[in-house]
Amino acid sequence: MLRRVLSLPSGRLAIGVLVLVAALAVLGPVLAPQDPLATSGTTLAGVSGSHWLGTDNLGRDVLSRLLAGSRVSVLGSVEVALVALVVGAVPGILSVYLGRTIEWLSLRLADTLVALPFLLFAVAVTALLGNGLTQAMVVTGVLVSPLFYRVSRAATLTVARSAYVESAVVAGASIGWVVRRHVWVKVLPPVAVALAQTVGTGFVIVSSLTFLGIGVQPPAPTWGGLLASDLGFLAYQPWAPLAPALLIMATVWACNVLADVVRDVSGEAGRALVAARGSRPPTHPSTPRTSGGVS
Amino acid sequence: MTASSKSLYAVAARPGPALAGPGGRPGRPAGSAEGIVSSLSSRAATPPLLAVRDVRIRHAPTGRELVRGVSFDLAPGRVVGIVGESGSGKTLTCRAALGILPRHLELSGGSIVLAGEDVTTFDEDRWTRERGSTLAAVFQDPASYLNPSLPVGSQVAEVLRVKTGLRRREARSRTLELFASVHLRDPDVVYGQYPFELSGGMLQRVLIAAAVSAGPRILVADEATTALDVTVQAEILDLLADLREGSGLSLVVVSHDLAVVAQLCDEVLVMRHGEVVEQGQTDRVLHRPEHEYTRLLLAEHDQFGLDRVLEGRAS
Amino acid sequence: MTETTAAVRPDARPVGSDVPRDESVLQVRDLDVHYGRGRRRRQVLHGVSLTVGPGETLGLIGETGSGKSTFGRAVLGLAPASSGRIVVSGEEVTAYGRRQWRTLRRRGVLQSVFQDPLRSLDPDLTVADSLVEPLVLQGVPRAEALTRARSDLARVRLEDDLLDRLPGEISGGQRQRVAVARALVTDPSAIILDEPVSALDAANRVQVLRILQELRSAGVALVFISHDLGSVAGIADRIAVLYQGRLVEEGPARTVVTSPQHVYTRLLVRSAPTLRGGAADRAERAELRALLGA
């Protein structure tokens, strides 16, 4: 799968941007030129030699805050996406197969999660589990999971009723076999798209929770938090939100492009597309190959 | 009416795109089929209602010819059948004769003469007048030509009012007459029913009623029975035969099934890949096929179908 | 779930007392199938009994809503029987649970081919992967399975170079022949074919029908389900006609076609388009319709 994604220029670009973002997340706090929490005399300063991106309303170096906050921001949104994926997609696929009772229960649960007031739920859970980034992200992930539930369930349903799955069942396939062999590959592309979306919204969600002091305590920098506080001083520094916004945008954009590429290269049409570009891995009919080609 | 391109007006009165073909006729003589056609039409004393001469249809952007040289004459009260797979050009030929070629397709050669007039001179207004009153059509999927949220009766009545200028009450009683004439049981009940309440066969009857509502002289049935059960298909084919006998309607029957065409038609065209591979009197084509492809179509019935059992033939 | 878990009257009939079980590949007695639950429960099959002998080709004819596909699905364990008895190659399967069905299915005695050539093969699996699936499910190593599958590919007149293609890269007719080959790899004693040629063009229809005729000669029992009497008449040994969930006629193909007994069968025979005649039957059809409507 990765090879097929990389065979397209847009796939390479998206992966490149995401690798950069990941590097920022790992190295960001180290690269920060100054202490992200240290205040200097000049508040709301413009771009200068000592403060490349200026300072914020408390006189803290914006570049340092951006770099220092990258780890928490990226980690947070990835956590949201992964929790949502596991909590949503797995029951989404299984709800089709595990009988009416489980199907009914999981459907109602998904409805309930959608209806829950998000902030109230987040506050309640952090009160219960203690305040921390992981708790906050798990809460967010669970609340976003109905998206994954529905997307994967819909994809599974269309596959489950197809003639080729019935043929496999008639040949003695078990549920596990059907899911591994036939369903998974069809569920992956829509789930990848949902995943990219969720990573994007993850940044914004982290920031809105930061506002309430849930997950990340205010002095600690995050991209979303920076964006939020910069917006408060738009009148003094109209260009200030640009830096965090561009970072968020680039990441979300890369996620979305990657999701598109994954959708494009997976499945029947995708193989043809990649094959047309002449980079299809050579195969021989007699060589045994593993199923699906999902990496 | 719905904004979709498919509506009842498509079968009776919808204004469609005019043919974008060259202004005049090509000056060259028609293709090889000409001989057969003229010999057939000379047998019929009356001049043809519809004369299709060496019609060619081209995909304008690519210049690819999708139909290459189709010719036939349709005399009053006669039935011409066109047989072919999807992509053979049989539907495009009909659409050209109805003036409803899809976008980007144009008549690139030949001529279509409808009741003595070359249709390439028709503008949209003229087509709108001719469709329904001179020629009409029914297609494969009747449900898609009806508005799902209106009772079928009122939809047919509306076509009548637009096409023939009848008043509301007259249109209603005329619609009921039409419903009875297409053998719909309980026309009053059907009048008030919505499309989803009717079976495929009943919907096709409603469409036929709408198509013949303005008294056309030609009815084109393009795969009109394809999606139907065999017994229902026979009902519709019988209805078409009744209409032909009762009101002297001329028919163009298009189907992928040679046997369906064989039921009704006087003359058959067998099309493949945009060309007519065989053309002639139905009897002759069925008993003395000349082209290999026609033989294949016949072989299916002879070797695997009812004909094998009925005729006691062994493969 | 697809497999039957429905309660079946255990006391319906003593197993195998009145039936020569070893003689038939498939035996169905008094089969009732319901769809839906509660108020929307609807009976689709009413007491259908049919037997298919070894190497026999049964044409099962029915129109929309006749329950013909449901019959095929019930026999394959894809639709639960509400009562009656189904015996597949000597095994009474009516009360089978998921696990027992799987064990039986992996023996590969019963296979299926469905109508739509677009959906009968997984679009993401190569022809080779689809072909070997039934064998791999039996535990045959893939390399060996592929060797065996090649010979079945030849039986349906397809070349080896198709093996590495995806369903989207081959024609509808080729796809349907792959589906037939796939049903053959386990050397089944019977194949359920649900409208196997309806979606194909003439040339491919003839080719698939020829292949089916060869299978019949090779001793594979076929249940050929179709809405069209015409497409089955020339290939079936026996014909059974379903009408509104009931078996209305059954007999040797020639007898059913030449002297149908039930009104519906008569209408069906008279309605099937044939190359010669047809228009002359119009009056008779009208009469039969009136009879059937009454």
Side-chain angles (χ1 to χ4, degrees):
Chain A
M1 178 59 90
L2 185 64
R3 199 186 321 182
R4 282 200 255 151
V5 168
L6 286 176
S7 70
L8 300 178
S10 50
R12 282 197 291 272
L13 186 59
I15 296 263
V17 171
L18 290 180
V19 165
L20 271 179
V21 171
L24 267 186
V26 175
L27 303 172
V30 185
L31 291 177
Q34 293 166 31
D35 181 353
L37 299 182
T39 54
S40 69
T42 48
T43 60
L44 294 171
V47 175
S48 67
S50 53
H51 303 289
W52 287 7
L53 292 176
T55 60
D56 67 3
N57 57 320
L58 296 177
R60 297 173 296 195
D61 182 46
V62 170
L63 178 64
S64 303
R65 287 182 66 74
L66 263 184
L67 289 172
S70 52
R71 184 177 297 173
V72 172
S73 307
V74 172
L75 220 60
S77 51
V78 168
E79 226 172 303
V80 168
L82 289 182
V83 168
L85 174 70
V86 174
V87 175
V90 174
I93 295 173
L94 292 181
S95 69
V96 178
Y97 289 101
L98 295 186
R100 284 169 192 280
T101 321
I102 291 183
E103 184 171 21
W104 189 88
L105 280 176
S106 64
L107 270 169
R108 296 296 83 78
L109 193 63
D111 292 345
T112 313
L113 284 177
V114 171
L116 268 184
F118 171 68
L119 289 176
L120 226 63
F121 186 68
V123 170
V125 170
T126 44
L128 207 69
L129 299 177
N131 199 356
L133 183 68
T134 305
Q135 284 92 324
M137 293 306 104
V138 167
V139 170
T140 315
V142 168
L143 282 174
V144 180
S145 65
L147 171 69
F148 288 82
Y149 175 81
R150 292 194 182 286
V151 160
S152 56
R153 181 178 150 78
T156 309
L157 269 178
T158 53
V159 181
R161 292 186 186 146
S162 63
Y164 55 83
V165 165
E166 297 207 318
S167 292
V169 169
V170 168
S174 60
I175 293 173
W177 172 282
V178 168
V179 170
R180 281 198 314 275
R181 188 82 171 161
H182 300 286
V183 175
W184 176 233
V185 195
K186 278 80 173 177
V187 174
L188 191 72
V191 164
V193 175
L195 203 62
Q197 270 178 21
T198 310
V199 169
T201 45
F203 288 112
V204 184
I205 290 170
V206 172
S207 84
S208 64
L209 286 180
T210 312
F211 252 171
L212 293 174
I214 296 171
V216 186
Q217 297 296 339
T222 65
W223 292 355
L226 275 163
L227 186 61
S229 65
D230 285 344
L231 287 174
F233 299 91
L234 210 56
Y236 306 99
Q237 268 181 320
W239 49 268
L242 261 182
L246 278 176
L247 268 176
I248 293 176
M249 218 176 77
T251 316
V252 174
W253 174 84
C255 287
N256 281 321
V257 170
L258 185 64
D260 281 351
V261 172
V262 165
R263 191 185 50 207
D264 288 347
V265 301
S266 53
E268 197 184 338
R271 290 203 210 191
L273 180 72
V274 177
R277 286 166 180 274
S279 49
R280 185 175 168 195
T283 49
H284 190 267
S286 61
T287 29
R289 283 187 291 136
T290 49
S291 69
V294 183
S295 55
Chain B
M1 277 293 136
T2 51
S4 105
S5 67
K6 280 185 173 180
S7 79
L8 263 194
Y9 290 93
V11 294
R14 185 178 65 85
L19 286 176
R25 300 183 197 188
R28 59 190 196 75
S32 60
E34 178 79 352
I36 306 166
V37 172
S38 51
S39 71
L40 282 174
S41 55
S42 63
R43 216 169 297 159
T46 38
L49 262 179
L50 178 69
V52 173
R53 282 279 169 282
D54 194 33
V55 155
R56 290 166 177 274
I57 296 167
R58 185 172 63 185
H59 183 240
T62 59
R64 213 160 64 89
E65 276 201 320
L66 302 174
V67 173
R68 294 180 294 278
V70 178
S71 304
F72 64 86
D73 278 351
L74 184 64
R78 307 288 284 178
V79 185
V80 168
I82 308 180
V83 181
E85 314 282 357
S86 57
S88 63
K90 59 188 195 309
T91 294
L92 287 182
T93 306
C94 289
R95 288 192 160 256
L98 288 160
I100 49 170
L101 274 177
R103 260 164 69 88
H104 301 309
L105 295 188
E106 59 180 31
L107 202 64
S108 54
S111 70
I112 298 172
V113 179
L114 180 64
E117 280 187 85
D118 192 330
V119 301
T120 47
T121 62
F122 286 11
D123 57 12
E124 280 197 26
D125 284 347
R126 183 64 196 279
W127 268 122
T128 310
R129 259 181 292 139
E130 296 297 333
R131 260 184 252 121
S133 54
T134 307
L135 80 177
V138 282
F139 301 99
Q140 179 172 347
D141 181 16
S144 63
Y145 292 89
L146 289 162
N147 184 336
S149 53
L150 290 174
V152 294
S154 65
Q155 298 188 51
V156 176
E158 186 190 319
V159 172
L160 267 172
R161 285 167 59 205
V162 171
K163 285 306 286 185
T164 60
L166 289 180
R167 268 173 298 182
R168 195 176 292 268
R169 185 171 302 178
E170 295 165 342
R172 185 188 156 89
S173 60
R174 177 79 186 114
T175 303
L176 292 176
E177 281 171 35
L178 283 166
F179 279 4
S181 74
V182 295
H183 309 317
L184 277 167
R185 249 180 272 167
D186 306 320
D188 282 308
V189 178
V190 174
Y191 191 96
Q193 280 180 312
Y194 291 88
F196 72 88
E197 296 178 280
L198 301 175
S199 68
M202 291 173 89
L203 284 175
Q204 197 58 283
R205 284 164 196 278
V206 169
L207 265 280
I208 290 173
V212 300
S213 62
R217 302 169 69 191
I218 304 169
L219 179 65
V220 178
D222 185 358
E223 298 276 16
T225 62
T226 299
L228 304 175
D229 278 329
V230 175
T231 51
V232 184
Q233 163 169 291
E235 285 175 33
I236 298 294
L237 292 177
D238 289 351
L239 170 62
L240 292 178
D242 287 347
L243 287 173
R244 174 201 185 181
E245 281 167 20
S247 53
L249 198 63
S250 305
L251 297 171
V252 179
V253 177
V254 178
S255 176
H256 65 283
D257 188 349
L258 186 53
V260 166
V261 167
Q263 305 280 310
L264 275 176
C265 301
D266 307 305
E267 187 191 353
V268 177
L269 285 79
V270 182
M271 289 190 71
R272 192 182 202 189
H273 305 320
E275 275 166 3
V276 177
V277 297
E278 179 140 10
Q279 181 168 11
Q281 296 283 352
T282 306
D283 226 33
R284 202 277 299 157
V285 172
L286 292 181
H287 289 100
R288 295 189 307 282
E290 280 160 10
H291 195 273
E292 183 195 3
Y293 181 64
T294 317
R295 286 195 203 104
L296 174 86
L297 293 177
L298 290 167
E300 191 198 351
H301 287 274
D302 280 337
Q303 291 176 17
F304 305 104
L306 217 49
D307 289 278
R308 177 171 183 231
V309 184
L310 289 175
E311 306 275 313
R313 286 153 190 264
S315 56
Chain C
M1 195 40 229
T2 45
E3 282 139 317
T4 169
T5 46
V8 176
R9 291 182 313 210
D11 56 341
R13 220 178 259 230
V15 175
S17 62
D18 56 339
V19 277
R21 284 171 45 180
D22 294 338
E23 300 253 319
S24 58
V25 183
L26 184 69
Q27 199 174 59
V28 178
R29 283 280 163 271
D30 305 321
L31 178 68
D32 284 357
V33 176
H34 291 79
Y35 277 157
R37 354 173 61 219
R39 206 174 291 171
R40 278 188 293 176
R41 192 170 146 96
R42 212 164 44 80
Q43 188 159 4
V44 187
L45 286 178
H46 302 259
V48 175
S49 299
L50 277 172
T51 305
V52 181
E56 191 183 34
T57 297
L58 173 74
L60 185 61
I61 312 298
E63 298 192 330
T64 312
S66 63
K68 60 181 189 303
S69 294
T70 305
F71 178 84
R73 295 174 62 80
V75 166
L76 292 164
L78 296 172
S82 18
S83 73
R85 221 148 56 83
I86 301 171
V87 180
V88 176
S89 70
E91 275 187 57
E92 156 97 49
V93 300
T94 341
Y96 267 19
R98 195 177 282 180
R99 207 170 289 269
Q100 288 165 300
W101 262 113
R102 206 182 303 152
T103 313
L104 170 68
R105 284 164 173 165
R106 288 196 178 165
R107 280 171 43 206
V109 288
L110 197 59
Q111 295 287 4
S112 63
V113 175
F114 296 107
Q115 173 177 3
D116 190 352
L118 267 176
R119 302 289 283 171
S120 58
L121 299 174
D122 189 329
D124 289 311
L125 294 185
T126 60
V127 167
D129 282 332
S130 287
L131 270 180
V132 299
E133 189 177 36
L135 287 173
V136 173
L137 279 165
Q138 288 185 341
V140 178
R142 195 181 184 282
E144 190 195 325
L146 201 59
T147 318
R148 283 167 62 181
R150 277 167 198 271
S151 65
D152 291 305
L153 210 55
R155 272 175 100 177
V156 298
R157 305 203 192 87
L158 288 174
E159 302 290 327
D160 273 7
D161 58 1
L162 242 56
L163 282 170
D164 201 33
R165 308 261 195 93
L166 289 165
E169 299 165 357
I170 62 179
S171 76
Q174 287 174 323
R175 275 198 289 263
Q176 202 62 335
R177 280 184 278 157
V178 171
V180 172
R182 176 196 147 93
L184 286 173
V185 291
T186 57
D187 289 322
S189 41
I191 305 178
I192 312 284
L193 305 136
D194 192 350
E195 303 270 12
V197 297
S198 303
L200 304 178
D201 61 20
N204 281 303
R205 250 184 343 250
V206 169
Q207 196 159 27
V208 170
L209 287 170
R210 286 213 178 107
I211 291 163
L212 294 181
Q213 219 163 29
E214 285 168 18
L215 294 183
R216 179 182 158 219
S217 315
V220 183
L222 304 173
V223 178
F224 195 138
I225 300 172
S226 176
H227 71 284
D228 181 10
L229 182 64
S231 71
V232 173
I235 192 171
D237 300 308
R238 280 191 306 132
I239 285 178
V241 181
L242 279 175
Y243 179 59
Q244 295 178 349
R246 290 187 168 81
L247 190 70
V248 295
E249 186 138 1
E250 194 211 336
R254 185 173 294 271
T255 315
V256 170
V257 171
T258 52
S259 55
Q261 299 302 308
H262 192 273
V263 179
Y264 177 72
T265 318
R266 281 159 64 197
L267 177 62
L268 203 61
V269 172
R270 293 288 169 260
S271 296
T274 61
L275 295 177
R276 291 136 193 114
D281 300 334
R282 228 197 304 169
E284 195 183 342
R285 279 197 290 268
E287 204 174 295
L288 289 168
R289 273 177 215 130
L291 271 174
L292 198 64

